[in-house]
Amino acid sequence: MARKNYSEEFRRQAVDLYESTPGATVRGIAEDLGIVRGTLRGWLEVYGTGEKTAADGTLTSSPLKPRTTPSSPVRVEPLEQRVARLEAENAALRAETTKLTTEREILQRAAKYFGRGDALVSRFQFVADNSATFEVKRLCELVEIERSSYYAWLNAAPAREARAADDAALAERIRAVHAEDNTQGAPRITAELNAQLGDSAAAGERVNHKRVARVMRFEGIRGYMKRRKVRTTIPEPSGQKYPDLLKRDFTAERPNERYVGDITYLPIADGTNLYLATVIDCYSRRLVGWAVADHMRTELVEDALKAAAATRGSLKGAVFHSDHGSVYCSKAYATLCRKLGVTQSMGAVGTSADNALAESFNATMKREVLQDAACWSDELTCRRQVFRWLVRYNTKRRHSWCRYTSPVAFETGYTATLRPAA
């Protein structure tokens, strides 16, 4: 059992043993002497010199009792100095409290700015809105932006306001064009805006389609878009078959060379349908012939082809491409094609991509005319609206294939290139 009473000499010798033994530890010396570590630590605080022998034999400062200078007297702080020191500390604490309170208020105000679209611009705007209340330097520090960047943004404000005014004026022009035909997107509207300026307009006056698209997005203006899949081809197993002469190449070197056609249904509110047959020129995408009827008999596609022949004057030597619908495979239609000098071509059965140009035309027409409606209210309304769109498609609607001119204007440009120079 460890002793409870130790002489002062024993205590001093234990402390000296610890301080003089190289690399000694309190735990090791206490075990050697048969005492607890806490007792030895207490003796070191009372009798220790503050120096300890390290493992390499050098003297170091003891962690248990730092070296003190016995000759250094304890300095008693005068009452006046102590009061002054405490008042200074109190003032510093009040200043820190005020600083933290101000920061909290600033961040609370800034919170509503950070939910906006452009975070950096929102921070600049926050600093600008609160610069009269708080110091700009502190505001920039709290929202983590450079003061130089903020001042650069602030100096550019007049230019931004001018651009915003220009965009607002452009938005009004876009709305006017869009009001005439709300199916138009940015490319067609861009072409229309530039066409309104004329060929003599300076380069700076013309608008870029990216800018038009940006303004349309910001103003919520968009062309109508809708996708619908409808099966309109009814194959006739016993009908005549013709090879595919186009191979999905819906182009032509000149007008009146290659045509595509199809039938699409036009739904009426009473549950009945009208049917539209088309003949489209691959060179200009012009609708040279069409027919609307309340049936899908062969006469429907015959009327469309006859209308195309009347528009062109002659179809001799042209190729007409279609799907394998029963009316296109009929003997009566083949007879009419031979009479007009038209060579028939057909895509593969069940493959809409082989007649993609005609399919795309039908989808565009119904999407832009019907828009959100599921059908036409009555037959007369259907005929009128479809007729108006088909005519406008040829003469006014800007087509991306035609370099954003109308199909008729595109063909007119081709004809102009054939005229001999005066």
Side-chain angles (χ1 to χ4, degrees):
M1 176 179 291
R3 292 169 53 186
K4 294 184 179 181
N5 298 316
Y6 300 92
S7 65
E8 183 176 352
E9 182 181 2
F10 180 87
R11 298 174 185 176
R12 291 184 179 277
Q13 289 178 343
V15 169
D16 179 69
L17 179 65
Y18 168 77
E19 292 181 344
S20 62
T21 303
T25 63
V26 173
R27 179 177 182 178
I29 297 299
E31 289 179 352
D32 291 343
L33 298 178
I35 60 178
V36 296
R37 283 175 289 175
T39 300
L40 180 57
R41 288 179 183 276
W43 296 347
L44 287 170
E45 292 178 358
V46 176
Y47 303 106
T49 64
E51 294 183 347
K52 181 183 182 304
T53 304
D56 58 359
T58 61
L59 293 177
T60 62
S61 177
S62 173
L64 298 177
K65 183 175 181 179
R67 183 186 302 172
T68 59
T69 303
S71 59
S72 301
V74 178
R75 181 174 179 273
V76 178
E77 184 180 18
L79 180 61
E80 294 79 2
Q81 292 184 5
R82 182 181 181 187
V83 171
R85 177 176 59 81
L86 292 177
E87 287 180 348
E89 292 177 356
N90 189 24
L93 290 174
R94 286 199 302 269
E96 182 67 18
T97 302
T98 302
K99 176 184 175 182
L100 294 175
T101 302
T102 303
E103 289 182 356
R104 183 177 63 181
E105 182 181 355
I106 292 174
L107 292 176
Q108 286 175 344
R109 293 190 182 189
K112 64 180 181 180
Y113 286 80
F114 295 155
R116 301 176 183 176
D118 192 329
L120 184 58
V121 172
S122 297
R123 295 182 186 196
F124 289 149
Q125 190 62 54
F126 166 74
V127 175
D129 292 345
N130 293 272
S131 58
T133 307
F134 304 101
E135 185 183 10
V136 171
K137 177 181 178 180
R138 191 63 189 143
L139 290 170
C140 291
E141 289 176 351
L142 287 176
V143 297
E144 298 180 348
I145 59 174
E146 297 292 335
R147 270 190 297 168
S148 58
S149 299
Y150 163 71
Y151 285 119
W153 175 86
L154 196 63
N155 293 333
R160 285 197 305 275
E161 292 175 359
R163 285 196 300 270
D166 291 342
D167 286 349
L170 178 60
E172 291 303 315
R173 294 175 58 198
I174 291 173
R175 287 193 184 93
V177 175
H178 189 261
E180 293 184 3
D181 181 3
N182 66 350
T183 64
Q184 298 182 96
R188 287 166 56 195
I189 289 180
T190 303
E192 181 65 29
L193 292 174
N194 289 328
Q196 292 175 358
L197 296 175
D199 296 334
S200 60
E205 296 177 354
R206 301 179 68 82
V207 291
N208 181 276
H209 72 280
K210 293 182 179 179
R211 183 187 174 198
V212 172
R214 174 178 59 79
V215 173
M216 290 179 65
R217 283 196 302 271
F218 183 78
E219 298 291 338
I221 305 171
R222 62 189 297 270
Y224 184 82
M225 297 181 64
K226 188 175 182 179
R227 296 287 183 183
R228 295 185 62 185
K229 292 184 178 181
V230 179
R231 183 175 180 269
T232 57
T233 303
I234 303 176
E236 176 57 57
S238 60
Q240 302 182 60
K241 301 297 188 291
Y242 299 92
D244 186 349
L245 303 179
L246 268 59
K247 302 296 183 182
R248 300 187 183 181
D249 179 13
F250 303 110
T251 62
E253 296 182 356
R254 62 188 64 86
N256 201 23
E257 185 178 58
R258 286 180 168 186
Y259 294 94
V260 297
D262 194 15
I263 299 176
T264 188
Y265 83 106
L266 311 174
I268 310 299
D270 61 6
T272 61
N273 296 314
L274 291 180
Y275 300 91
L276 169 67
T278 56
V279 180
I280 305 169
D281 194 310
C282 290
Y283 172 78
S284 62
R285 283 14 183 197
R286 179 180 179 181
L287 181 66
V288 295
W290 75 84
V292 177
D294 59 358
H295 61 80
M296 286 182 61
R297 296 190 295 270
T298 305
E299 299 90 73
L300 175 64
V301 293
E302 288 179 332
D303 290 344
L305 193 62
K306 290 175 182 178
T311 300
R312 291 304 192 193
S314 173
L315 296 177
K316 187 175 181 180
V319 173
F320 177 78
H321 182 82
S322 66
D323 55 29
H324 280 264
S326 58
V327 290
Y328 292 117
C329 295
S330 66
K331 293 181 180 180
Y333 193 73
T335 301
L336 177 61
C337 287
R338 287 193 298 269
K339 179 181 177 181
L340 297 176
V342 174
T343 301
Q344 284 189 262
S345 169
M346 291 185 178
V349 176
T351 305
S352 60
D354 287 349
N355 199 23
L357 175 55
E359 297 275 359
S360 176
F361 175 89
N362 293 335
T364 299
M365 184 275 297
K366 286 199 278 190
R367 181 177 69 248
E368 294 190 359
V369 179
L370 276 177
Q371 298 191 15
D372 291 326
C375 59
W376 282 272
S377 58
D378 54 71
E379 180 178 325
L380 181 59
T381 300
C382 176
R383 288 180 181 272
R384 287 174 175 171
Q385 291 183 355
V386 170
F387 173 78
R388 180 181 182 276
W389 189 91
L390 296 179
V391 174
R392 190 179 185 280
Y393 169 87
N394 277 338
T395 59
K396 294 194 64 177
R397 184 184 184 276
R398 297 181 182 276
H399 201 300
S400 58
W401 174 263
C402 303
R403 303 186 187 95
Y404 288 103
T405 63
S406 68
V408 170
F410 190 70
E411 285 191 0
T412 302
Y414 172 83
T415 303
T417 60
L418 299 180
R419 295 173 183 169

